[in-house]
Amino acid sequence: MDAKKIINQILEEKGKITDVYFVACGGSLVDLYPVSYFIQGESKTIHSMYYTSKEFVISAPKTLTKNSITIVCSHSGNTPEAIEAAKLAKSLGSYVIVFTNNEKSKINSDSFNVIVYPWGDEISVQDEPMGESYALMNELLKAQEDYCEYEKMKDGLSKIDGVIRKAVQVEKDSAVSFADKYSKEPFLYIVGSGASFSQAYGFSICSLMEMQWINCGYIHSAEFFHGPFEVLDKDVLYILLMNEGRTRVMDERVLKFLKKYGSKYAVIDTRNFGIDIIDKDVVDYFNPFVFYKMACLYREELAKVKGHPTSVRRYMGVVEY
């Protein structure tokens, strides 16, 4: 993918971009949330929002116009509501970029700029939807407003694969221990903040609820103290995702409380994986890459202990819904 070429083409066709919408379902939406967060935190001229595909179709924003970009992701390329969302955005004048892993899918249409991405354990995250979306938006901010952290974002994208590899090595034993100790727990919570709140969400609904049939909730680190902490006791299990960057202070506050009043919790801390090789001015946006891989690691170890393959489903793709 030539991100700069795509952005130059969009700006030549559309002029100034005022809004970017990220639209997907489930795990694909998890991939796009951090990039929306990036625009909200860094852009002076562009507003951004993420939508689950069906809600986008039912209640499209009034600012969805010719001066907007809509990025739709469907891994299979055949998700009906994602296809509908892309068509709707196009009909309203938005420039539509589609990510899919399936070149032969229904969403691969000449109506959109379609990016077919590879998938697998050996693929660089730069070539996956989150990495490619970051690259696109980094180019957009550079072209439209001369984004001052442009080079730092590019450098971070070039380094994050190495951080992820180290994270898997460092955290492997902890994931094995967690699975051995807590595989029979009936419920747990995932807590996270910043761009990584997406990974608390994804870890919960995809890795644990969908793939392991474990009841699980997700909580924002700041919101933990505005209601959810009332259910904390010695028998409730938590996983805390500890960011490096500006939002870390919120995660540290949760950890302090867990240590004082809880007993069942695991902490996954990107600081332990050498993420500080990424510049502190942009490191906030790279934590989610690591936490996604950690969710994969933990669910695989749980699957081994529980004897529940991550591919098994009761409803998804099995029954009509």
Side-chain angles (χ1 to χ4, degrees):
M1 181 194 74
D2 188 333
K4 182 178 290 187
K5 181 178 179 180
I6 293 172
I7 292 303
N8 287 340
Q9 177 185 335
I10 293 172
L11 293 177
E12 183 177 341
E13 177 181 328
K14 298 290 186 179
K16 184 178 180 180
I17 295 300
T18 58
D19 301 274
V20 180
Y21 296 99
F22 296 90
V23 184
C25 307
S28 293
L29 186 59
V30 172
D31 284 342
L32 300 182
Y33 176 109
V35 193
S36 180
Y37 185 92
F38 163 69
I39 295 173
Q40 292 168 11
E42 298 295 318
S43 179
K44 300 173 182 177
T45 64
I46 303 167
H47 300 104
S48 177
M49 185 62 187
Y50 63 95
Y51 280 86
T52 189
S53 299
K54 192 62 177 179
E55 186 170 10
F56 183 82
V57 171
I58 292 171
S59 184
K62 297 300 183 184
T63 47
L64 181 64
T65 67
K66 66 180 183 65
N67 295 112
S68 63
I69 297 172
T70 303
I71 296 179
V72 180
C73 185
S74 172
H75 187 74
S76 71
N78 295 313
T79 308
E81 51 264 57
I83 297 170
E84 194 176 358
K87 289 179 178 178
L88 174 65
K90 179 74 173 182
S91 73
L92 294 174
S94 179
Y95 190 96
V96 178
I97 298 172
V98 169
F99 287 103
T100 182
N101 177 241
N102 185 358
E103 187 174 10
K104 298 180 180 179
S105 62
K106 294 177 182 178
I107 208 167
N108 190 355
S109 164
D110 291 338
S111 298
F112 321 123
N113 186 322
V114 180
I115 298 169
V116 180
Y117 58 86
W119 195 252
D121 291 338
E122 303 306 316
I123 301 299
S124 169
V125 295
Q126 293 184 77
D127 298 322
E128 295 175 354
M130 193 193 307
E132 292 197 323
S133 294
Y134 267 128
L136 284 166
M137 295 302 100
N138 194 39
E139 293 293 344
L140 177 60
L141 266 59
K142 175 63 174 176
Q144 183 158 300
E145 54 192 68
D146 197 23
Y147 178 45
C148 62
E149 311 297 1
Y150 171 79
E151 292 295 342
K152 294 176 183 178
M153 285 295 296
K154 288 188 69 174
D155 183 63
L157 285 168
S158 73
K159 291 176 176 176
I160 190 61
D161 283 316
V163 178
I164 292 170
R165 287 192 293 270
K166 181 175 180 180
V168 172
Q169 294 173 350
V170 171
E171 197 67 19
K172 175 69 173 179
D173 289 345
S174 295
V176 171
S177 177
F178 181 91
D180 287 340
K181 190 173 183 179
Y182 296 123
S183 64
K184 295 182 180 179
E185 286 291 321
F187 188 90
L188 72 151
Y189 291 104
I190 314 290
V191 187
S193 68
S196 299
F197 181 60
S198 60
Q199 303 310 310
Y201 161 66
F203 201 158
S204 175
I205 72 163
C206 295
S207 292
L208 298 183
M209 296 176 77
E210 176 188 338
M211 298 184 185
Q212 286 299 292
W213 302 351
I214 296 174
N215 291 308
C216 184
Y218 52 95
I219 306 169
H220 194 286
S221 297
E223 288 297 286
F224 179 79
F225 296 97
H226 297 276
F229 69 158
E230 284 295 336
V231 301
L232 173 64
D233 61 34
K234 302 293 183 180
D235 294 320
V236 181
L237 177 62
Y238 291 81
I239 296 177
L240 173 61
L241 308 181
M242 291 275 288
N243 281 313
E244 184 63 283
R246 289 167 290 186
T247 68
R248 184 179 179 87
V249 62
M250 294 188 285
D251 305 329
E252 289 176 332
R253 186 183 179 203
V254 173
L255 179 57
K256 183 178 180 181
F257 201 85
L258 288 174
K259 286 180 175 180
K260 186 172 184 179
Y261 294 104
S263 63
K264 291 182 178 180
Y265 58 88
V267 180
I268 307 175
D269 188 347
T270 57
R271 184 172 285 183
N272 295 333
F273 310 141
I275 202 169
D276 60 348
I277 66 170
I278 296 173
D279 193 279
K280 63 181 178 59
D281 291 331
V282 297
V283 72
D284 297 70
Y285 307 117
F286 291 91
N287 294 286
F289 287 107
V290 181
F291 287 131
Y292 170 73
K293 186 59 70 173
M294 294 298 96
C296 295
L297 178 63
Y298 273 68
R299 77 190 184 206
E300 290 296 336
E301 295 305 325
L302 283 165
K304 292 175 187 176
V305 176
K306 292 168 67 67
H308 183 127
T310 57
S311 60
V312 173
R313 302 290 185 275
R314 281 189 291 190
Y315 307 118
M316 185 176 289
V318 177
V319 302
E320 187 175 348
Y321 51 91

